[in-house]
Amino acid sequence: MEFAFEEKTVSHLQLLAEEWLRQEETAELIVPDSEPDAAEVLDCFASCVVRSKECQAGSVLISGGIQASLLYLAGEETTPRLLETYLPFSIKKEISDCEVSDLAQLQCRVTHADGRVLNSRKLLVRVEIGCDLHLYRPAAETIYVPDASVDAYKAATNWITHADKYYSH
């Protein structure tokens, strides 16, 4: 039984780099004049959004923003108050063999968020984000597959497909 093979080119993405990136952003929030003085921060929560990712020669540039919120108590009051802010961020990671044609896949998330009272009219929010970055480059490989027109190939695949007819368990 003689087999013939065809050459085929298969396109795929080759992994160039895997990186875990971390960055911390902070902001001071001013309690509005219409609100009473802040006494205590009850909770801090945040979420991040990636606005863009760009492969450049030798680096990857990521930019986005963090929506952060502080829940706080004012003086003797029992009703919590909310202050919100937007913190823009950009991360540049140097990767020596990165090219403009490469593809970056990433997942960014908030890894830590906290807030505290600096004084009765000013609060501090601190948020740390982590980005899981995978960098890929388009590539192609040559593989060899049996030629479907060869009778021996047809016979072998037919036998494998119907083998259960010939053998019982």
Side-chain angles (χ1 to χ4, degrees):
M1 204 181 288
E2 187 175 312
F3 284 100
F5 293 93
E6 286 182 54
E7 246 185 49
K8 293 213 178 207
T9 302
V10 177
S11 298
H12 64 95
L13 295 175
Q14 177 184 0
L15 180 65
L16 293 180
E18 286 181 278
E19 298 283 340
W20 175 252
L21 311 170
R22 294 168 53 173
Q23 184 162 314
E24 182 178 281
E25 298 292 334
T26 60
E28 292 181 357
L29 305 175
I30 306 296
V31 176
D33 292 337
S34 61
E35 299 288 328
D37 290 350
E40 174 187 5
V41 172
L42 300 174
D43 199 4
C44 178
F45 37 97
S47 62
C48 69
V49 175
V50 174
R51 299 275 182 220
S52 69
K53 58 185 187 235
E54 182 183 350
C55 293
Q56 302 173 338
S59 66
V60 176
L61 181 63
I62 303 161
S63 63
I66 302 164
Q67 180 67 43
S69 302
L70 282 175
L71 194 62
Y72 71 96
L73 280 179
E76 299 294 321
E77 293 186 13
T78 57
T79 305
R81 308 281 178 145
L82 183 69
L83 276 180
E84 295 180 308
T85 189
Y86 182 80
L87 303 155
F89 71 86
S90 70
I91 302 171
K92 185 174 185 175
K93 176 64 181 169
E94 301 291 330
I95 301 175
S96 60
D97 51 342
C98 183
E99 297 174 0
V100 175
S101 61
D102 293 341
L103 303 169
Q105 176 193 21
L106 61 105
Q107 181 180 20
C108 289
R109 58 189 156 285
V110 173
T111 57
H112 179 80
D114 70 7
R116 64 185 173 104
V117 177
L118 294 176
N119 63 48
S120 63
R121 304 304 297 164
K122 194 183 291 186
L123 305 174
L124 176 77
V125 62
R126 184 176 59 205
V127 181
E128 181 182 79
I129 59 167
C131 292
D132 189 14
L133 170 68
H134 291 81
L135 186 64
Y136 297 97
R137 178 167 296 149
E141 297 291 331
T142 301
I143 62 169
Y144 298 93
V145 294
D147 185 353
S149 66
V150 175
D151 290 335
Y153 173 76
K154 288 178 181 176
T157 55
N158 187 40
W159 184 84
I160 291 169
T161 306
H162 299 90
D164 58 333
K165 293 180 185 174
Y166 305 110
Y167 295 102
S168 61
H169 298 295

Short mmCIF file of all heavy atoms in Angstrom, two decimals, residues 2-49:
data_model
loop_
_atom_site.label_atom_id
_atom_site.label_comp_id
_atom_site.label_asym_id
_atom_site.label_seq_id
_atom_site.Cartn_x
_atom_site.Cartn_y
_atom_site.Cartn_z
N GLU A 2 0.68 2.09 -0.96
CA GLU A 2 1.52 3.27 -1.09
C GLU A 2 0.70 4.53 -0.80
O GLU A 2 -0.42 4.68 -1.27
CB GLU A 2 2.07 3.33 -2.52
CG GLU A 2 3.08 4.42 -2.70
CD GLU A 2 3.70 4.36 -4.09
OE1 GLU A 2 4.11 3.27 -4.52
OE2 GLU A 2 3.73 5.41 -4.72
N PHE A 3 1.28 5.42 0.00
CA PHE A 3 0.62 6.68 0.33
C PHE A 3 1.35 7.84 -0.34
O PHE A 3 2.57 7.82 -0.45
CB PHE A 3 0.63 6.94 1.85
CG PHE A 3 -0.37 6.12 2.60
CD1 PHE A 3 0.02 4.97 3.27
CD2 PHE A 3 -1.69 6.50 2.64
CE1 PHE A 3 -0.89 4.21 3.97
CE2 PHE A 3 -2.62 5.76 3.33
CZ PHE A 3 -2.22 4.59 4.01
N ALA A 4 0.60 8.83 -0.74
CA ALA A 4 1.18 10.07 -1.25
C ALA A 4 0.76 11.19 -0.30
O ALA A 4 -0.31 11.14 0.30
CB ALA A 4 0.67 10.34 -2.66
N PHE A 5 1.59 12.18 -0.16
CA PHE A 5 1.31 13.28 0.77
C PHE A 5 1.29 14.61 0.04
O PHE A 5 2.03 14.83 -0.91
CB PHE A 5 2.35 13.33 1.88
CG PHE A 5 2.29 12.15 2.80
CD1 PHE A 5 3.07 11.03 2.58
CD2 PHE A 5 1.44 12.17 3.89
CE1 PHE A 5 2.99 9.95 3.41
CE2 PHE A 5 1.37 11.09 4.74
CZ PHE A 5 2.14 9.96 4.50
N GLU A 6 0.39 15.47 0.50
CA GLU A 6 0.30 16.84 -0.01
C GLU A 6 0.93 17.79 1.01
O GLU A 6 0.82 17.57 2.21
CB GLU A 6 -1.16 17.27 -0.14
CG GLU A 6 -1.92 16.69 -1.26
CD GLU A 6 -3.33 17.25 -1.27
OE1 GLU A 6 -3.49 18.50 -1.28
OE2 GLU A 6 -4.26 16.44 -1.23
N GLU A 7 1.56 18.83 0.50
CA GLU A 7 2.09 19.88 1.37
C GLU A 7 1.00 20.92 1.58
O GLU A 7 0.40 21.38 0.62
CB GLU A 7 3.28 20.56 0.69
CG GLU A 7 4.57 20.35 1.37
CD GLU A 7 5.69 21.14 0.73
OE1 GLU A 7 5.52 22.35 0.48
OE2 GLU A 7 6.73 20.53 0.48
N LYS A 8 0.73 21.27 2.84
CA LYS A 8 -0.24 22.31 3.14
C LYS A 8 0.40 23.31 4.11
O LYS A 8 1.19 22.92 4.96
CB LYS A 8 -1.49 21.72 3.78
CG LYS A 8 -2.28 20.85 2.84
CD LYS A 8 -3.73 20.94 3.12
CE LYS A 8 -4.44 20.08 2.09
NZ LYS A 8 -5.74 20.49 1.80
N THR A 9 0.00 24.55 3.97
CA THR A 9 0.48 25.60 4.87
C THR A 9 -0.63 25.94 5.85
O THR A 9 -1.76 26.20 5.44
CB THR A 9 0.90 26.84 4.08
OG1 THR A 9 1.90 26.47 3.13
CG2 THR A 9 1.46 27.91 4.99
N VAL A 10 -0.29 25.90 7.13
CA VAL A 10 -1.25 26.19 8.19
C VAL A 10 -0.83 27.48 8.88
O VAL A 10 0.29 27.60 9.37
CB VAL A 10 -1.32 25.04 9.22
CG1 VAL A 10 -2.27 25.38 10.33
CG2 VAL A 10 -1.72 23.75 8.53
N SER A 11 -1.74 28.45 8.92
CA SER A 11 -1.47 29.72 9.61
C SER A 11 -1.83 29.58 11.08
O SER A 11 -2.81 28.92 11.42
CB SER A 11 -2.29 30.84 8.99
OG SER A 11 -1.93 31.01 7.64
N HIS A 12 -1.04 30.20 11.94
CA HIS A 12 -1.30 30.18 13.38
C HIS A 12 -0.66 31.40 14.03
O HIS A 12 0.01 32.19 13.36
CB HIS A 12 -0.79 28.88 14.01
CG HIS A 12 0.70 28.73 13.93
ND1 HIS A 12 1.53 29.11 14.95
CD2 HIS A 12 1.51 28.27 12.94
CE1 HIS A 12 2.79 28.87 14.61
NE2 HIS A 12 2.80 28.37 13.39
N LEU A 13 -0.88 31.56 15.32
CA LEU A 13 -0.25 32.64 16.08
C LEU A 13 0.82 32.04 16.99
O LEU A 13 0.53 31.13 17.77
CB LEU A 13 -1.30 33.39 16.91
CG LEU A 13 -2.35 34.13 16.10
CD1 LEU A 13 -3.41 34.73 17.03
CD2 LEU A 13 -1.72 35.22 15.27
N GLN A 14 2.01 32.57 16.89
CA GLN A 14 3.14 32.10 17.70
C GLN A 14 3.26 33.00 18.93
O GLN A 14 3.32 34.22 18.81
CB GLN A 14 4.42 32.17 16.88
CG GLN A 14 5.66 31.76 17.64
CD GLN A 14 6.92 31.94 16.80
OE1 GLN A 14 6.86 32.37 15.65
NE2 GLN A 14 8.04 31.64 17.40
N LEU A 15 3.29 32.38 20.10
CA LEU A 15 3.42 33.14 21.35
C LEU A 15 4.83 33.69 21.48
O LEU A 15 5.81 32.95 21.42
CB LEU A 15 3.09 32.24 22.56
CG LEU A 15 3.17 32.89 23.92
CD1 LEU A 15 2.12 33.99 24.07
CD2 LEU A 15 2.99 31.83 25.01
N LEU A 16 4.93 35.01 21.65
CA LEU A 16 6.24 35.66 21.80
C LEU A 16 6.56 35.97 23.25
O LEU A 16 7.70 35.87 23.68
CB LEU A 16 6.28 36.98 21.02
CG LEU A 16 6.22 36.91 19.52
CD1 LEU A 16 6.26 38.31 18.93
CD2 LEU A 16 7.33 36.07 18.96
N ALA A 17 5.54 36.40 24.00
CA ALA A 17 5.80 36.82 25.39
C ALA A 17 4.53 36.67 26.22
O ALA A 17 3.42 36.85 25.72
CB ALA A 17 6.28 38.26 25.42
N GLU A 18 4.74 36.37 27.49
CA GLU A 18 3.67 36.36 28.50
C GLU A 18 4.16 37.21 29.66
O GLU A 18 5.24 36.95 30.19
CB GLU A 18 3.41 34.95 29.03
CG GLU A 18 2.69 34.04 28.09
CD GLU A 18 2.46 32.68 28.71
OE1 GLU A 18 3.40 31.87 28.67
OE2 GLU A 18 1.35 32.45 29.23
N GLU A 19 3.41 38.21 30.03
CA GLU A 19 3.83 39.12 31.10
C GLU A 19 2.66 39.41 32.03
O GLU A 19 1.52 39.51 31.58
CB GLU A 19 4.33 40.45 30.52
CG GLU A 19 5.53 40.36 29.61
CD GLU A 19 6.84 40.17 30.36
OE1 GLU A 19 6.90 40.49 31.57
OE2 GLU A 19 7.80 39.71 29.73
N TRP A 20 2.96 39.59 33.30
CA TRP A 20 1.98 40.08 34.28
C TRP A 20 2.45 41.48 34.66
O TRP A 20 3.54 41.65 35.21
CB TRP A 20 1.92 39.17 35.49
CG TRP A 20 1.01 39.69 36.56
CD1 TRP A 20 1.40 40.21 37.77
CD2 TRP A 20 -0.41 39.77 36.56
NE1 TRP A 20 0.31 40.60 38.49
CE2 TRP A 20 -0.83 40.34 37.77
CE3 TRP A 20 -1.39 39.43 35.62
CZ2 TRP A 20 -2.17 40.57 38.08
CZ3 TRP A 20 -2.71 39.65 35.94
CH2 TRP A 20 -3.09 40.21 37.16
N LEU A 21 1.64 42.48 34.35
CA LEU A 21 2.00 43.88 34.59
C LEU A 21 1.14 44.42 35.72
O LEU A 21 -0.06 44.15 35.78
CB LEU A 21 1.78 44.71 33.33
CG LEU A 21 2.37 44.13 32.03
CD1 LEU A 21 1.88 44.92 30.84
CD2 LEU A 21 3.87 44.12 32.10
N ARG A 22 1.74 45.22 36.60
CA ARG A 22 1.00 45.84 37.70
C ARG A 22 1.29 47.33 37.71
O ARG A 22 2.40 47.76 37.42
CB ARG A 22 1.44 45.24 39.03
CG ARG A 22 1.09 43.79 39.17
CD ARG A 22 1.75 43.14 40.33
NE ARG A 22 1.51 43.87 41.56
CZ ARG A 22 1.87 43.45 42.75
NH1 ARG A 22 2.47 42.31 42.89
NH2 ARG A 22 1.63 44.17 43.82
N GLN A 23 0.26 48.08 38.07
CA GLN A 23 0.44 49.52 38.19
C GLN A 23 -0.54 50.06 39.22
O GLN A 23 -1.68 49.62 39.28
CB GLN A 23 0.21 50.20 36.84
CG GLN A 23 0.48 51.69 36.89
CD GLN A 23 0.69 52.26 35.51
OE1 GLN A 23 1.42 51.71 34.71
NE2 GLN A 23 0.05 53.38 35.25
N GLU A 24 -0.08 51.03 39.99
CA GLU A 24 -0.92 51.65 41.00
C GLU A 24 -1.24 53.09 40.60
O GLU A 24 -0.36 53.81 40.13
CB GLU A 24 -0.21 51.64 42.36
CG GLU A 24 -1.04 52.22 43.48
CD GLU A 24 -0.34 52.15 44.83
OE1 GLU A 24 -0.35 51.06 45.42
OE2 GLU A 24 0.23 53.17 45.23
N GLU A 25 -2.49 53.47 40.78
CA GLU A 25 -2.93 54.84 40.52
C GLU A 25 -3.57 55.38 41.79
O GLU A 25 -4.26 54.66 42.51
CB GLU A 25 -3.95 54.88 39.38
CG GLU A 25 -3.44 54.41 38.04
CD GLU A 25 -2.40 55.31 37.43
OE1 GLU A 25 -2.39 56.52 37.75
OE2 GLU A 25 -1.60 54.83 36.62
N THR A 26 -3.31 56.66 42.08
CA THR A 26 -3.90 57.29 43.26
C THR A 26 -4.52 58.62 42.87
O THR A 26 -4.14 59.23 41.87
CB THR A 26 -2.84 57.55 44.36
OG1 THR A 26 -1.84 58.41 43.84
CG2 THR A 26 -2.22 56.26 44.85
N ALA A 27 -5.48 59.05 43.68
CA ALA A 27 -6.10 60.36 43.47
C ALA A 27 -6.62 60.88 44.80
O ALA A 27 -7.01 60.11 45.67
CB ALA A 27 -7.24 60.26 42.47
N GLU A 28 -6.59 62.19 44.92
CA GLU A 28 -7.20 62.85 46.08
C GLU A 28 -8.54 63.40 45.65
O GLU A 28 -8.66 64.05 44.61
CB GLU A 28 -6.30 63.98 46.59
CG GLU A 28 -5.01 63.49 47.19
CD GLU A 28 -4.14 64.62 47.71
OE1 GLU A 28 -4.51 65.80 47.57
OE2 GLU A 28 -3.08 64.30 48.27
N LEU A 29 -9.57 63.10 46.43
CA LEU A 29 -10.92 63.56 46.13
C LEU A 29 -11.31 64.64 47.12
O LEU A 29 -11.16 64.46 48.33
CB LEU A 29 -11.91 62.40 46.22
CG LEU A 29 -11.60 61.17 45.37
CD1 LEU A 29 -12.59 60.06 45.65
CD2 LEU A 29 -11.64 61.54 43.91
N ILE A 30 -11.81 65.72 46.63
CA ILE A 30 -12.27 66.83 47.45
C ILE A 30 -13.76 66.64 47.75
O ILE A 30 -14.56 66.43 46.83
CB ILE A 30 -12.04 68.18 46.75
CG1 ILE A 30 -10.58 68.34 46.33
CG2 ILE A 30 -12.51 69.34 47.62
CD1 ILE A 30 -9.58 68.37 47.45
N VAL A 31 -14.11 66.71 49.02
CA VAL A 31 -15.52 66.63 49.40
C VAL A 31 -16.17 67.94 48.95
O VAL A 31 -15.69 69.03 49.30
CB VAL A 31 -15.67 66.44 50.92
CG1 VAL A 31 -17.13 66.45 51.33
CG2 VAL A 31 -15.00 65.14 51.37
N PRO A 32 -17.26 67.86 48.16
CA PRO A 32 -17.91 69.09 47.67
C PRO A 32 -18.37 69.99 48.82
O PRO A 32 -18.71 69.50 49.91
CB PRO A 32 -19.11 68.57 46.87
CG PRO A 32 -18.81 67.14 46.57
CD PRO A 32 -17.93 66.65 47.67
N ASP A 33 -18.39 71.29 48.58
CA ASP A 33 -18.81 72.26 49.61
C ASP A 33 -20.24 72.02 50.07
O ASP A 33 -20.59 72.35 51.20
CB ASP A 33 -18.68 73.69 49.07
CG ASP A 33 -17.21 74.07 48.87
OD1 ASP A 33 -16.34 73.45 49.53
OD2 ASP A 33 -16.95 74.98 48.06
N SER A 34 -21.05 71.44 49.21
CA SER A 34 -22.46 71.17 49.57
C SER A 34 -22.62 69.96 50.49
O SER A 34 -23.71 69.72 51.00
CB SER A 34 -23.28 70.96 48.30
OG SER A 34 -22.78 69.85 47.58
N GLU A 35 -21.54 69.21 50.70
CA GLU A 35 -21.58 68.01 51.55
C GLU A 35 -20.91 68.29 52.89
O GLU A 35 -19.99 69.11 52.98
CB GLU A 35 -20.85 66.85 50.86
CG GLU A 35 -21.44 66.43 49.53
CD GLU A 35 -22.75 65.70 49.68
OE1 GLU A 35 -22.96 65.00 50.70
OE2 GLU A 35 -23.60 65.85 48.79
N PRO A 36 -21.34 67.57 53.96
CA PRO A 36 -20.69 67.74 55.26
C PRO A 36 -19.29 67.09 55.27
O PRO A 36 -18.94 66.33 54.38
CB PRO A 36 -21.63 67.03 56.23
CG PRO A 36 -22.45 66.11 55.39
CD PRO A 36 -22.49 66.69 54.02
N ASP A 37 -18.51 67.41 56.29
CA ASP A 37 -17.15 66.89 56.43
C ASP A 37 -17.14 65.36 56.50
O ASP A 37 -18.02 64.75 57.11
CB ASP A 37 -16.49 67.44 57.70
CG ASP A 37 -16.19 68.92 57.59
OD1 ASP A 37 -16.31 69.46 56.48
OD2 ASP A 37 -15.81 69.52 58.62
N ALA A 38 -16.11 64.76 55.90
CA ALA A 38 -15.95 63.30 55.92
C ALA A 38 -15.30 62.88 57.24
O ALA A 38 -14.38 63.53 57.73
CB ALA A 38 -15.08 62.85 54.75
N ALA A 39 -15.80 61.77 57.79
CA ALA A 39 -15.25 61.27 59.05
C ALA A 39 -14.58 59.91 58.88
O ALA A 39 -13.55 59.65 59.50
CB ALA A 39 -16.35 61.17 60.11
N GLU A 40 -15.16 59.06 58.04
CA GLU A 40 -14.65 57.68 57.93
C GLU A 40 -14.98 57.11 56.56
O GLU A 40 -16.08 57.30 56.04
CB GLU A 40 -15.33 56.84 59.02
CG GLU A 40 -15.04 55.38 58.97
CD GLU A 40 -15.86 54.58 59.98
OE1 GLU A 40 -16.74 55.15 60.65
OE2 GLU A 40 -15.62 53.38 60.05
N VAL A 41 -14.02 56.37 55.96
CA VAL A 41 -14.26 55.67 54.70
C VAL A 41 -14.79 54.27 55.05
O VAL A 41 -14.16 53.54 55.82
CB VAL A 41 -12.97 55.56 53.85
CG1 VAL A 41 -13.19 54.66 52.65
CG2 VAL A 41 -12.52 56.94 53.40
N LEU A 42 -15.95 53.95 54.50
CA LEU A 42 -16.57 52.65 54.75
C LEU A 42 -16.11 51.59 53.76
O LEU A 42 -15.86 50.45 54.12
CB LEU A 42 -18.10 52.76 54.69
CG LEU A 42 -18.75 53.70 55.69
CD1 LEU A 42 -20.23 53.81 55.40
CD2 LEU A 42 -18.49 53.23 57.11
N ASP A 43 -16.02 51.99 52.49
CA ASP A 43 -15.67 51.02 51.46
C ASP A 43 -15.12 51.74 50.24
O ASP A 43 -15.39 52.92 50.02
CB ASP A 43 -16.91 50.20 51.05
CG ASP A 43 -16.56 48.89 50.35
OD1 ASP A 43 -15.37 48.56 50.24
OD2 ASP A 43 -17.49 48.20 49.90
N CYS A 44 -14.34 50.99 49.48
CA CYS A 44 -13.79 51.50 48.23
C CYS A 44 -13.95 50.41 47.19
O CYS A 44 -13.66 49.24 47.47
CB CYS A 44 -12.31 51.85 48.41
SG CYS A 44 -11.53 52.44 46.90
N PHE A 45 -14.41 50.76 46.01
CA PHE A 45 -14.54 49.77 44.95
C PHE A 45 -14.17 50.41 43.63
O PHE A 45 -14.26 51.63 43.47
CB PHE A 45 -15.94 49.14 44.90
CG PHE A 45 -17.07 50.07 45.21
CD1 PHE A 45 -17.79 50.68 44.20
CD2 PHE A 45 -17.42 50.36 46.53
CE1 PHE A 45 -18.83 51.54 44.49
CE2 PHE A 45 -18.46 51.22 46.82
CZ PHE A 45 -19.18 51.81 45.80
N ALA A 46 -13.72 49.57 42.70
CA ALA A 46 -13.22 50.10 41.43
C ALA A 46 -13.36 49.06 40.33
O ALA A 46 -13.45 47.86 40.60
CB ALA A 46 -11.76 50.51 41.57
N SER A 47 -13.37 49.55 39.10
CA SER A 47 -13.33 48.68 37.92
C SER A 47 -12.46 49.37 36.87
O SER A 47 -12.35 50.59 36.87
CB SER A 47 -14.74 48.42 37.37
OG SER A 47 -15.34 49.62 36.97
N CYS A 48 -11.85 48.57 36.01
CA CYS A 48 -10.99 49.17 34.99
C CYS A 48 -11.46 48.81 33.60
O CYS A 48 -12.10 47.77 33.39
CB CYS A 48 -9.53 48.78 35.20
SG CYS A 48 -9.15 47.07 34.90
N VAL A 49 -11.16 49.70 32.67
CA VAL A 49 -11.55 49.55 31.26
C VAL A 49 -10.30 49.80 30.41
O VAL A 49 -9.60 50.80 30.63
CB VAL A 49 -12.65 50.57 30.87
CG1 VAL A 49 -12.96 50.48 29.39
CG2 VAL A 49 -13.88 50.36 31.70
#
